[in-house]
Amino acid sequence: MYDVQEWKHVFKLDPNKELSDRALEKICESGTDAVMIGGTDGVTLENVLDLMVRVRRYSVPCVLEVSTLDSVTPGFDLYFIPTVLNASDPKWITGLHHDAVKEHGDLMNWEEIMAEGYCIVNPDCKAARLTQAKTELSKDDIIAYARMSERLFHLPVFYLEYSGMYGDPAVVQAVGQELSKTVFFYGGGITSKQRAEEMAERADVIVVGNLLYENLNEALKTIL
Ligand code: 1GP
């Protein structure tokens, strides 16, 4: 079994973006704790399968972060299911989840499935637009979502998502101090080793996405 509690670093790959075999090898052999496959648009069964098969050549744990039911396929080590706590469209809080469990609940292997309490902060990211997230959040609003995740809903993961934008270290620090059982993932705007260090001091797990496609060598330095 994979112990997410032990993780410190995750690379997130977008199935809708190109990566050479050489780049993928460097990513999978980098020493990261997991490779997560997930994205907001253009995610299809075909491109998810293609990337999964390529990542599977390496021993790194491979996680699917589910955003559309159509692209769910067996073969991943773990399935992360976001529930967007600050979405206005209930589809992204419990809607798709209900559809999936109703349709496939008998066959689901619950040991491989982990819910993530998501809080999306960057109003300009695609996920915020898709879920119609209420992103005008104060530090107290964000802390409340973190507390709901751990104390009310007992979610295994709280994911503070700044995707494409670097978060406020003071907010990340405050959230980190709230969570003890729920694993705290931070993602967004990590573009250097220095930023990786700053957020890794405050969150349990840092997630690096875009930088893999913009500057792979710099991305590899975010593993501390
Ligand atoms: C995106 O949180 C991840 O879902 C990582 O964000 O792409 O900004 O690194 P970046």
Side-chain angles (χ1 to χ4, degrees):
M1 207 36 217
Y2 298 91
D3 194 357
V4 173
Q5 300 266 358
E6 301 293 314
W7 290 2
K8 303 249 172 277
H9 183 281
V10 167
F11 277 135
K12 194 185 278 193
L13 302 185
D14 185 341
N16 196 29
K17 288 187 184 162
E18 298 284 321
L19 264 183
S20 68
D21 285 343
R22 183 77 188 108
L24 196 68
E25 180 183 356
K26 285 186 180 171
I27 291 165
C28 294
E29 304 219 312
S30 62
T32 187
D33 294 303
V35 168
M36 189 188 282
I37 295 180
T40 303
D41 30 64
V43 178
T44 64
L45 180 60
E46 196 181 9
N47 58 23
V48 166
L49 265 175
D50 176 69
L51 196 51
M52 179 191 81
V53 168
R54 292 173 66 208
V55 173
R56 277 285 182 224
R57 292 186 209 141
Y58 307 93
S59 59
V60 66
C62 187
V63 181
L64 179 65
E65 187 171 61
V66 177
S67 54
T68 66
L69 296 184
D70 301 341
S71 63
V72 179
T73 173
F76 285 88
D77 295 306
L78 287 172
Y79 296 82
F80 279 16
I81 317 288
T83 174
V84 181
L85 302 170
N86 63 326
S88 342
D89 183 346
K91 177 179 169 184
W92 302 101
I93 310 169
T94 56
L96 288 173
H97 318 66
H98 181 255
D99 292 347
V101 175
K102 187 176 171 196
E103 186 74 21
H104 306 292
D106 289 341
L107 297 173
M108 286 164 88
N109 180 356
W110 299 101
E111 300 289 301
E112 298 173 345
I113 297 171
M114 208 171 263
E116 303 171 293
Y118 243 73
C119 177
I120 304 179
V121 188
N122 177 3
D124 298 321
C125 75
K126 289 178 201 155
R129 287 199 286 270
L130 182 70
T131 63
Q132 296 166 42
K134 295 175 215 148
T135 55
E136 278 182 32
L137 302 174
S138 66
K139 184 163 100 176
D140 287 346
D141 288 321
I142 296 173
I143 289 173
Y145 282 126
R147 285 185 175 154
M148 283 164 64
S149 297
E150 176 163 307
R151 316 230 179 120
L152 200 55
F153 298 129
H154 303 282
L155 295 171
V157 170
F158 177 70
Y159 193 129
L160 189 58
E161 173 66 294
Y162 281 85
S163 184
M165 164 187 166
Y166 192 57
D168 178 347
V171 170
V172 180
Q173 171 120 18
V175 169
Q177 284 167 351
E178 282 300 323
L179 299 175
S180 51
K181 290 199 195 94
T182 294
V183 182
F184 176 24
F185 280 54
Y186 167 83
I190 295 181
T191 51
S192 65
K193 182 179 166 75
Q194 182 264 328
R195 284 185 167 188
E197 283 169 349
E198 187 167 48
M199 289 310 183
E201 278 171 19
R202 293 164 171 80
D204 297 317
V205 180
I206 56 167
V207 183
V208 176
N210 279 329
L211 189 60
L212 290 167
Y213 300 91
E214 286 159 6
N215 186 340
L216 178 59
N217 283 334
E218 199 59 38
L220 295 171
K221 291 182 198 157
T222 63
I223 301 160
L224 306 167

